[in-house]
Amino acid sequence: MSSQRISIDSENGRYEVVYGSRVLSGAGPAVRSLGANTGVFLLSSPRVARHWRRKLERALRSAGLRHTVIFDDREEAKSISTAELVCRELVRAGADRRAILVAAGGGVVGDVAGFVAATYLRGVGIVHLPTTLVAQVDSAIGGKTGVNLPEGKNLVGAFYSPRLVLADPVSLSTLPSREFRSGVYEVVKYGVIGDERLFAFLEKSMEMLVHRDAKALDYVIPRCIQSKAKVVSHDEREAGLREILNFGHTFAHAFETATGYAKYLHGEAVGWGMIAASRLAARMGLLKTESASRIENLVRQVGPLPDLPAAKPARLMEIMHADKKTRGGQLRFVLSRKIGSAETFGPVPAKLVIEVLGRLPAQPRP
Ligand code: GLY
């Protein structure tokens, strides 16, 4: 399959997401084509570097690679102090205002590197090379960057668009199965919020997708990128429409925060969050029970989920009140009325949310 180019409009101009097998080997010319720079700085993590560092450094040499910074990309380490360490290493390596950062990795690498790019010397260019499914279909696109606080996820950050995104399905071959499945939950999300055909494809072909069948990847990934491109090109700063990308995320962030970011991969928490959001929508009479069951069933087909957090609903509610969608202390949720569409609803009565949380089984029901 030849590569596909999908354009994104941002307030800093248009950039492209290029999807295709082996686009990473062409990263050097692609970065060079962005214009002159005073040095390329590769940012990655130990586990990504283990498989890809040599190839990427070779590919980026022709673009002026000067230094590689490796930092911890566990969700627990997605913090201001990790961003500080990266900035300090960049200073020591001589990165100036015309440097280009190249972030190779999953969601945490992209979010931390993006935050560094937005703030280091008040902003330097960044190119994303997402190497996980979550990052290819979601986090590397749309300019959200940030780090967590103990109080909540992504509470410190900036909107900062990359200059280019290169998504190569070959890089998914080295992902542990749990990491890959974590990205599939985000794919399910795109089906629920805006793409009924994708949802139906997943119901039929989940087995192929979780086995990383090349044809399934080539169908699913560009389709998700296109959906995201459409949303963020209309509403980069999340004034409205973009909120739908957070379907399942209000619950998910609470599950992640309540467990110190250590129990779930992000997508797994989103898997649980989508079940909770579907049950909430059904409880509110917005979504047919049968559709809520289809969503729950599809989430279950992705694979096993870690158990729900032991935290009490009251504690989860407290965390949800810090969610970025909360307005004047009133809870708002992205909910679906019908598979293939979603919108933000609020205020949602706390009583209903507590009821849904209290009734979630430890494992999704067959
Ligand atoms: N992952 C949600 C967004 O990019 O808006």
Side-chain angles (χ1 to χ4, degrees):
M1 181 196 163
S2 56
S3 60
Q4 294 191 43
R5 308 179 88 85
I6 299 152
S7 296
I8 317 259
D9 289 321
S10 84
E11 41 187 56
N12 301 317
R14 182 169 285 194
Y15 64 95
E16 281 192 327
V17 181
V18 186
Y19 170 83
S21 212
R22 294 184 220 300
V23 292
L24 284 189
S25 37
V31 170
R32 247 192 357 251
S33 74
L34 299 173
N37 66 68
T38 51
V40 169
F41 295 80
L42 177 62
L43 271 51
S44 193
S45 71
R47 45 200 181 150
V48 176
R50 197 164 65 234
H51 299 290
W52 298 101
R53 181 173 182 164
R54 280 206 6 236
K55 287 189 191 80
L56 289 173
E57 286 183 343
R58 198 177 324 125
L60 291 169
R61 212 167 288 144
S62 68
L65 180 70
R66 296 242 321 251
H67 183 70
T68 299
V69 181
I70 302 291
F71 62 93
D72 187 352
D73 69 344
R74 287 168 309 129
E75 193 68 43
E76 306 97 288
K78 188 177 158 185
S79 60
I80 292 179
S81 48
T82 298
E84 181 185 349
L85 287 176
V86 176
C87 288
R88 292 181 64 190
E89 190 165 335
L90 288 173
V91 178
R92 291 195 299 272
D96 68 18
R97 277 197 159 150
R98 295 188 63 205
I100 292 261
L101 310 187
V102 176
V108 175
V109 168
D111 282 10
V112 173
F115 181 59
V116 166
T119 48
Y120 181 72
L121 306 182
R122 302 206 176 88
V124 293
I126 182 159
V127 171
H128 286 297
L129 312 182
T131 58
T132 65
L133 186 57
V134 174
Q136 293 193 355
V137 299
D138 188 21
S139 59
I141 308 160
K144 274 192 183 175
T145 76
V147 294
N148 301 332
L149 295 178
E151 287 76 9
K153 221 178 125 84
N154 299 333
L155 292 186
V156 176
F159 287 99
Y160 193 72
S161 299
R163 307 271 306 275
L164 175 72
V165 181
L166 302 176
D168 189 333
V170 174
S171 67
L172 304 178
S173 63
T174 51
L175 266 190
S177 152
R178 187 175 167 205
E179 284 274 356
F180 182 82
R181 283 188 284 105
S182 171
V184 177
Y185 296 105
E186 292 281 0
V187 171
V188 169
K189 176 192 83 178
Y190 284 106
V192 177
I193 65 172
D195 192 343
E196 207 180 345
R197 283 176 74 167
L198 174 65
F199 191 93
F201 172 86
L202 295 172
E203 285 184 310
K204 273 207 308 266
S205 313
M206 183 56 82
E207 191 67 13
M208 276 166 74
L209 183 60
V210 293
H211 287 102
R212 306 177 212 192
D213 172 85
K215 279 210 183 92
L217 293 177
D218 286 350
Y219 174 75
V220 160
I221 298 175
R223 212 172 161 106
C224 294
I225 295 173
Q226 264 149 5
S227 293
K228 179 133 191 190
K230 222 192 285 170
V231 171
V232 300
S233 293
H234 276 97
D235 179 23
E236 187 178 21
R237 286 198 168 246
E238 203 167 297
L241 178 67
R242 185 167 180 167
E243 284 187 343
I244 65 169
L245 296 172
N246 294 321
F247 175 66
H249 283 59
T250 306
F251 287 106
H253 288 172
F255 299 151
E256 290 176 277
T257 305
T259 50
Y261 307 112
K263 179 166 177 151
Y264 303 100
L265 296 180
H266 174 63
E268 293 171 338
V270 171
W272 268 121
M274 291 190 292
I275 290 175
S278 305
R279 289 180 170 213
L280 180 62
R283 176 68 184 79
M284 289 167 70
L286 298 168
L287 178 71
K288 287 190 189 134
T289 319
E290 180 204 322
S291 303
S293 303
R294 271 178 76 196
I295 296 170
E296 187 157 341
N297 209 25
L298 190 57
V299 169
R300 201 171 51 82
Q301 274 190 53
V302 179
L305 283 170
D307 280 348
L308 271 185
K312 297 239 162 26
R315 168 71 188 130
L316 298 170
M317 294 295 290
E318 198 179 283
I319 300 169
M320 279 192 267
H321 273 104
D323 184 83
K324 291 188 279 322
K325 281 187 296 309
T326 300
R327 298 272 186 280
Q330 309 269 32
L331 291 174
R332 296 161 77 244
F333 286 86
V334 177
L335 300 173
S336 172
R337 284 180 190 276
K338 177 183 170 302
I339 291 170
S341 79
E343 57 202 281
T344 307
F345 288 85
V348 174
K351 198 170 123 253
L352 291 187
V353 182
I354 292 174
E355 182 188 312
V356 166
L357 285 168
R359 290 191 179 165
L360 284 175
Q363 276 297 317
R365 288 206 191 99

